């Protein structure tokens, strides 16, 4: 993530709206990206509009330096900056289906920490399906390169001072309901085939270098 600051902008999808079919159809991507994600960007900018001293903070700083925020906007910043961060990364770490397996050092780490890709997939799936209500399931790395699966509720992010997010799956109903109705499992199973493993690998390499 580049250190962008206010006013935050909607990042265009790095692929066409029909690129993720049939797992995610065009309508789902338009509604999710153009409306839901955009709303978090707009709301975050609105929240920060009257706080010039906060406008110099990056997205990561807004999410990690809560004590620097005026008390009255902390909850709104947490929810909307989280929504911006999570959605930008979610859309960026998917691609048209093709390569289905992890690569490089990340592939090695998955074997080391989970025994086998299939075990990792099972645990990631359980995290996504087991997240009660709206939220996210994450694969993150700590600074030593240990991989951890996490869940967060709503638009919360993992502790970015401890972890580098590598992958995440949005399990808010808005991510899948148009297409899958209540079948979250079918959506999550499809998501595994959209993972942009090269980008996840790049993020992992950065995580262990820093
Ligand atoms: Mn979403």
């Amino acid at each position: 993530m580049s250190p962008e600051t206010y006013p935050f902008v909607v990042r265009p999808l790095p692929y066409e709206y029909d690129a993720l079919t049939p797992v995610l159809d065009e309508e789902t991507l338009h509604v999710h990206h153009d409306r839901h994600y955009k709303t978090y960007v707009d709301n975050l900018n609105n929240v920060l509009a009257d706080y010039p001293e906060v406008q110099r903070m990056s997205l990561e700083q807004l999410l990690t330096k809560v004590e620097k925020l005026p008390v009255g906007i902390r909850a709104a910043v947490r929810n909307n900056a989280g929504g911006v961060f999570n959605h930008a990364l979610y859309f960026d770490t998917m691609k048209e289906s093709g390569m289905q397996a992890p690569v490089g050092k990340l592939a090695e780490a998955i074997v080391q920490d989970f025994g086998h890709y299939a075990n990792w997939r099972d645990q990631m799936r359980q995290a996504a399906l087991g997240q009660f209500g709206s939220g996210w399931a994450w694969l993150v790395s700590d600074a030593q390169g240990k991989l951890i699966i996490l869940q967060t509720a709503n638009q919360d992010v993992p502790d970015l001072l401890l972890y580098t997010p590598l992958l995440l799956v949005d399990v808010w109903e808005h991510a899948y309901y148009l297409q899958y109705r209540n079948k979250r499992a079918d959506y999550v199973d499809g998501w595994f085939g959209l993972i942009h493993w090269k980008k996840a690998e790049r993020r992992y390499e950065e995580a262990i270098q820093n």
Side-chain angles (χ1 to χ4, degrees):
M1 299 257 136
S2 60
E4 58 180 317
T5 56
Y6 176 93
F8 294 96
V9 297
V10 174
R11 294 185 179 202
L13 289 179
Y15 35 77
E16 299 298 324
Y17 283 89
D18 63 359
L20 306 185
T21 55
V23 176
L24 293 175
D25 66 22
E26 279 186 73
E27 187 186 16
T28 295
L29 270 189
H30 271 294
V31 170
H32 197 182
H33 178 275
D34 306 354
R35 299 194 204 172
H36 287 280
Y37 169 35
K38 180 177 186 299
T39 298
Y40 289 110
V41 172
D42 291 344
N43 287 348
L44 180 59
N45 288 334
N46 289 338
V47 169
L48 301 184
D50 296 329
Y51 297 90
E53 72 284 4
V54 180
Q55 290 170 5
R56 286 189 291 274
M57 293 172 73
S58 70
L59 199 53
E60 286 77 0
Q61 287 172 329
L62 290 171
L63 289 165
T64 54
K65 298 181 187 295
V66 178
E67 73 286 352
K68 296 204 169 172
L69 301 173
V71 173
I73 63 169
R74 285 181 185 176
V77 168
R78 168 179 161 159
N79 290 333
N80 290 295
V84 173
F85 181 89
N86 297 347
H87 284 95
L89 189 58
Y90 169 72
F91 292 119
D92 191 53
T93 50
M94 293 191 288
K95 66 184 279 289
E96 52 282 289
S97 55
M99 189 172 64
Q100 307 273 351
V103 291
K105 288 197 168 69
L106 178 54
E108 292 168 20
I110 284 176
V111 171
Q112 180 170 328
D113 292 337
F114 297 94
H116 192 279
Y117 167 79
N119 295 341
W120 169 77
R121 190 183 188 284
D122 285 347
Q123 288 180 41
M124 189 76 187
R125 187 176 188 274
Q126 278 171 29
L129 300 187
Q131 169 56 37
F132 183 77
S134 296
W136 300 78
W138 303 75
L139 177 66
V140 304
S141 171
D142 73 10
Q144 285 73 47
K146 180 176 171 51
L147 299 177
I148 301 158
I149 291 172
L150 298 173
Q151 296 168 309
T152 62
N154 302 312
Q155 296 298 352
D156 289 351
V157 300
D159 186 338
L160 299 177
L161 300 176
L162 295 177
Y163 304 120
T164 299
L166 307 179
L167 291 171
L168 73 173
V169 56
D170 190 343
V171 295
W172 283 61
E173 286 185 345
H174 70 229
Y176 60 89
Y177 209 87
L178 276 175
Q179 230 181 312
Y180 293 91
R181 301 302 168 187
N182 60 333
K183 293 180 177 143
R184 185 190 284 191
D186 291 353
Y187 155 70
V188 170
D189 287 342
W191 171 80
F192 283 101
L194 300 178
I195 294 171
H196 199 315
W197 283 108
K198 278 188 183 162
K199 281 188 179 167
E201 160 70 7
R202 240 174 277 152
R203 297 180 64 81
Y204 185 64
E205 299 248 0
E206 281 170 24
I208 55 182
Q209 272 165 19
N210 293 337

